[in-house]
Amino acid sequence: MSKDDVQKRSIDTIRVLAMDAVQKANAGHPGTAMALAPLAYLLYTKVMRHSPSDPDWQDRDRFVLSAGHACILQYAALHLTGYNLSLEELKRFRQWQSITPGHPEHFLTPGVETTTGPLGQGFANGVGFAMAERFLAERYNRPHSKIVDHRVYCICSDGDLMEGVSNEAASLAGQNGLAKLVYFYDDNRITIDGTTSLSFSVEDRGKRFEAQGWHVQHVENSESLEEYEAAIDAAHQVEDRPSLIVVHSHIAYPAPHAMDTAKAHGAPLGEDEVRATKEILGFDPDAHFAVDDAVYEHMNMTQRGIELEQEWKGRFERWSAEYPALRQDWGQVHTGRMRPGWEPPVFEAGDDMASRDAGKQVMQSLMRYTPTMVGGSADLVESTKTEFVGGGTFSATHAGRNIAFGIREHAMGSIVNGIALHGGMVKPYGATFMQFSDYMRPAVRLAALAHVEDIWVWTHDSVALGEDGPTHQPVEHYAALRAIPNLWFIRPADANETSWAWKVALERQGGPVALSLSRQKITTLDRSEVAAASGLERGAYTLWESSDAPDLILIATGSEVGLALEAGRKIAGENGTSVRVVSMPCWELFELQTAEYRDEVLPPDVKARLSIEPGVALGWKQWVGDNGDTLALDRFGASAPGNEVLERLGFNLDNVIARASALLERVA
C-alpha cells in the first residue's frame, strides 16, 4: 500500500473495530469513535510521545478521553499501536472481567490514564495533569536540561462542556496559563435526546473559552489530517495559555443511514448498517474485527516509543550527573512516600483546640517531609487552615505548592484526582467545609472507584459550627460519605487523633482518605489517663474503661468523644456501672481489623451500646446492635451559637446520661 492508502486503511480499521465491538457487545457508543478515528490515528501515531511497551514512562504525553462513552476509540488505538491490549479483549468489549469496560478505567487497561465516563470529569482531570507537570517542571528542570516536558491531550464532547465542572476547570486552567493543555472539542451537534439545538445552541462555545483565557481554533473538515496537524502545530506554539480545537465532526461517519443522527450515539448500528458501512470503506462486509498486516505494521508504535524513552533516559542521565542533589530528590519523590523521619506531633493535654487548628500545625510539621505535596481549598484557606506557609501560590508565573482553586469545589476534586494520577507526587489534597463535599461528591466517588490516593480535608464538620445555620451544617454527610466504597472517612476526637489521622492519610495506598475536622474548640485529652491516640490507626479503640468487663459501651466520634468520656466517668462514678468508652474515628479502618480485635473492642455479649454522633443515625445499627441506641441527629440544624445548638439538640451531658440509663434499664 502507498502511504496515503495505509493511512486511510488504518483510520478506517479503527472505525470497523468500533462498529464490530459495539455490535458484538450489543451495547456501546460507536458514533463518536467512527467520527474521530482520524484524530485518534494522528494522536497515537504522530503527535503524542508515548511508549506502548512502558505505559507508565514518566515523561510521556497524557491522553484523556473525557468523552469516556467513546472508549472503544481509545481501545482500538491502544491495540493497534502496540499496547498490551489484545484483539480478543476488543471482542470482549463490555463483558465480565474484560479489560475493555464500557467506560475507561485507568487501573484496569494499559495506557488509560484516568477513569472517565461521568461527563466533565476527564476534562478537569486533565487540568490536574497539567498542574502536576508544571509543578514538577519548575522543580526539576534546569536551563538546557528538561526532564519534565510533556503535554496533555484531551477529547471532550458537548456533554462535557454542558457539565458545570468543565466550566470551573476551564476557568482555572485559563487563569493559570496552562499551555501544555491541548483539548479537542467534538462539536458533532448530537445528544442522546436529539440534537444540541434542544439545549445547547445559543452560546458560542469557542468564544466562551476565549473569554476564559484559552487559545481557540476550528477544524472544519474532521476527515483532514492536514487540518488537524496545522491546528495542533499552532497550539504547540502557544506558550501562555491552554488550547481548544473545535472539531466539526459527523457522528458515525460514513454510515449511510446513521451518520449525523442521535441513534448513532449510544446504540449499535445494526448488522445491516455495519455491512453497508464496511462496503463503503472497502472492507469485506462478512469479516469481523478485520485488521490487515499492513495496518499493524504501520500503526505499531512500540519501537518509536522505545526510541523516545531512550532519548529521554539519555537526557535524564546527563541531568542526573550534573545535578546529583536533584537526582536524589527525584528518586525519593517518585516513591510516592514521605521522606523518612516524620512523626505525628504531640499536643499538650488540656489545650482547647479545634481539630482544624491542630491540622494546620500537623501540615506545617510535615511540610519538609512532603516537598511535592500540593493542594489548596475552595477559597477557604483561612477557615480550613490548609496551607503550606511559605510554599508559594500556584499561578501562571510560579508553580507554588498552594493552589487557589477559587469557589470551584467540583473542579477542585477532579483536578486533585488528576494531580494524584499524574504520578511523581506525594498525595495531593483539597479542602472545603464538609457540607460542600456534596458539590464535589462525583469526584470523590471516582477517586474511590479508581483507587486515587487523595486527601480531602473537610472542616466545620457538625452543627457546632453554629451561626451560619443549617445550610452550612452537615447532618447526612457522615453517612453519605461512609457509603462510598473504598473511601476512608476519619473523624478525629482531638488534636492528637488529628495527628494520627494525617499519618494514616499520608500512608494509605489504594484509595482516598477524608479528614473530618471541627470548627469549634475541643479539649485535648490527657493521654496518661486514656489510651494513646495511635489507636486511631485501627479505626476504633477502647479509650477508657472503668473495668475490663463493661455493662455499657459508649461509642463516639470526633468532637463528641470528649462528651462520651465525661458521661462514662460520671455514670461509673455515681452508680458503679462498668462503662467502656470507645473512640471510633474511622469505620472503614475498624472493618479491616481482625474479628478478634473487633470483638475485643465491642464484645458481642455487651448489649447496652450507645453511639453519640451529631449526624443521621443511618449505619450505626451495625455497631450498636439491635438492642443498642443511637444519640443522632435525624433533622437539620439551626442558626445559633454552636454550643447552644448542641445543647438544644441533645448533645449534652445530661441527655447522654439519661439515654444511657434508659438503655441499661431496657436491656437489663
Side-chain angles (χ1 to χ4, degrees), residues 115 118 121 124-125 165 409-418 437-450 452 454 456 458 484 487 512:
T115 295
Q121 291 297 316
N125 292 162
V165 63
E409 292 90 352
H410 196 174
M412 176 180 71
S414 304
I415 289 168
V416 166
N417 285 346
S437 66
D438 281 349
Y439 282 11
M440 55 190 291
R441 186 180 178 87
V444 175
R445 181 180 185 272
L446 280 183
L449 168 65
V452 182
D454 303 323
W456 310 117
W458 292 320
I484 299 177
L487 173 67

Side-chain angles (χ1 to χ4, degrees), residues 577-656:
T577 300
S578 179
V579 181
R580 172 177 293 178
V581 177
V582 170
S583 176
M584 194 175 199
C586 184
W587 293 13
E588 297 79 25
L589 272 170
F590 190 56
E591 288 173 325
L592 292 175
Q593 307 307 308
T594 64
E596 290 77 13
Y597 177 77
R598 295 197 303 270
D599 288 347
E600 177 186 328
V601 175
L602 300 176
D605 59 341
V606 180
K607 306 302 182 186
R609 302 181 187 181
L610 174 66
S611 66
I612 307 166
E613 186 178 69
V616 298
L618 184 67
W620 272 109
K621 184 69 71 175
Q622 175 183 1
W623 307 116
V624 301
D626 293 335
N627 296 310
D629 193 12
T630 60
L631 174 51
L633 197 59
D634 288 308
R635 54 155 286 175
F636 293 113
S639 178
N643 288 338
E644 182 179 355
V645 174
L646 288 173
E647 179 74 25
R648 289 183 178 275
L649 294 179
F651 289 86
N652 58 66
L653 182 62
D654 289 344
N655 192 43
V656 172

Side-chain angles (χ1 to χ4, degrees), residues 101-171:
H103 289 85
E105 303 283 4
H106 98 277
F107 56 89
L108 189 64
T109 312
V112 171
E113 300 284 1
T114 180
T115 295
T116 60
L119 291 170
Q121 291 297 316
F123 188 109
N125 292 162
V127 175
F129 284 135
M131 284 186 159
E133 193 274 349
R134 165 85 68 78
F135 179 83
L136 292 173
E138 186 171 308
R139 181 177 180 84
Y140 292 110
N141 288 349
R142 293 296 180 266
H144 312 296
S145 187
K146 290 185 177 181
I147 60 165
V148 180
D149 186 16
H150 51 265
R151 299 181 188 276
V152 182
Y153 298 91
C154 174
I155 291 176
C156 56
S157 63
D158 287 303
D160 288 292
L161 267 58
M162 290 185 207
E163 291 287 357
V165 63
S166 66
N167 193 56
E168 295 177 16
S171 176

Side-chain angles (χ1 to χ4, degrees), residues 275-408:
R275 286 178 59 85
T277 307
K278 287 180 179 179
E279 288 179 345
I280 291 172
L281 296 173
F283 281 70
D284 181 351
D286 294 317
H288 302 288
F289 296 93
V291 183
D292 295 342
D293 289 342
V295 169
Y296 276 129
E297 182 179 354
H298 173 69
M299 286 195 66
N300 191 293
M301 294 291 111
T302 303
Q303 184 57 40
R304 175 177 176 267
I306 290 171
E307 291 169 1
L308 288 170
E309 193 171 358
Q310 289 301 319
E311 185 275 331
W312 177 81
K313 286 180 178 178
R315 280 189 283 122
F316 185 80
E317 289 172 2
R318 292 189 294 274
W319 172 86
S320 299
E322 191 170 357
Y323 305 103
L326 280 177
R327 172 64 182 89
Q328 183 178 9
D329 182 75
W330 172 281
Q332 194 285 318
V333 161
H334 281 75
T335 66
R337 304 297 108 200
M338 284 190 295
R339 289 175 174 170
W342 181 78
E343 294 292 336
V346 176
F347 293 87
E348 291 292 326
D351 283 353
D352 289 335
M353 178 181 294
S355 52
R356 64 169 176 162
D357 290 316
K360 177 179 180 178
Q361 293 190 35
V362 175
M363 284 188 67
Q364 300 321 303
S365 77
L366 60 83
M367 183 173 174
R368 69 186 182 94
Y369 296 96
T370 58
T372 56
M373 184 176 182
V374 301
S377 83
D379 197 51
L380 288 169
V381 168
E382 289 301 312
S383 295
T384 60
K385 312 294 184 182
T386 47
E387 178 184 18
F388 284 121
V389 177
T393 300
F394 195 102
S395 70
T397 57
H398 172 55
R401 297 181 63 175
N402 299 299
I403 301 174
F405 286 106
I407 307 166
R408 302 181 179 97

Side-chain angles (χ1 to χ4, degrees), residues 410-611:
H410 196 174
M412 176 180 71
S414 304
I415 289 168
V416 166
N417 285 346
I419 293 171
L421 288 167
H422 178 275
M425 298 290 219
V426 179
K427 298 180 183 182
Y429 71 90
T432 188
F433 291 179
M434 175 168 286
Q435 193 274 336
F436 301 132
S437 66
D438 281 349
Y439 282 11
M440 55 190 291
R441 186 180 178 87
V444 175
R445 181 180 185 272
L446 280 183
L449 168 65
H451 309 284
V452 182
E453 296 178 1
D454 303 323
I455 298 174
W456 310 117
V457 182
W458 292 320
T459 65
H460 297 59
D461 77 336
S462 78
V463 293
L465 73 85
E467 292 87 344
D468 276 341
T471 63
H472 282 52
Q473 294 168 355
V475 174
E476 74 277 21
H477 297 72
Y478 312 147
L481 292 163
R482 286 168 178 150
I484 299 177
N486 198 38
L487 173 67
W488 291 2
F489 178 80
I490 306 178
R491 190 165 186 255
D494 68 352
N496 286 309
E497 275 199 10
T498 302
S499 277
W500 284 90
W502 266 102
K503 181 176 186 292
V504 167
L506 287 162
E507 292 179 350
R508 187 186 181 191
Q509 299 182 46
V513 177
L515 306 182
S516 169
L517 304 181
S518 75
R519 174 184 186 266
Q520 79 276 21
K521 292 182 178 181
I522 305 170
T523 300
T524 303
L525 301 175
D526 186 343
R527 294 290 168 172
S528 68
E529 298 179 358
V530 298
S534 58
L536 177 140
E537 290 189 297
R538 306 190 77 172
Y541 63 103
T542 299
L543 180 73
W544 173 88
E545 58 187 359
S546 60
S547 123
D548 59 4
D551 301 314
L552 169 69
I553 301 177
L554 301 178
I555 313 167
T557 75
S559 48
E560 283 59 59
V561 170
L563 174 62
L565 181 61
E566 184 181 5
R569 283 172 166 163
K570 188 165 185 178
I571 292 168
E574 288 184 351
N575 59 24
T577 300
S578 179
V579 181
R580 172 177 293 178
V581 177
V582 170
S583 176
M584 194 175 199
C586 184
W587 293 13
E588 297 79 25
L589 272 170
F590 190 56
E591 288 173 325
L592 292 175
Q593 307 307 308
T594 64
E596 290 77 13
Y597 177 77
R598 295 197 303 270
D599 288 347
E600 177 186 328
V601 175
L602 300 176
D605 59 341
V606 180
K607 306 302 182 186
R609 302 181 187 181
L610 174 66
S611 66

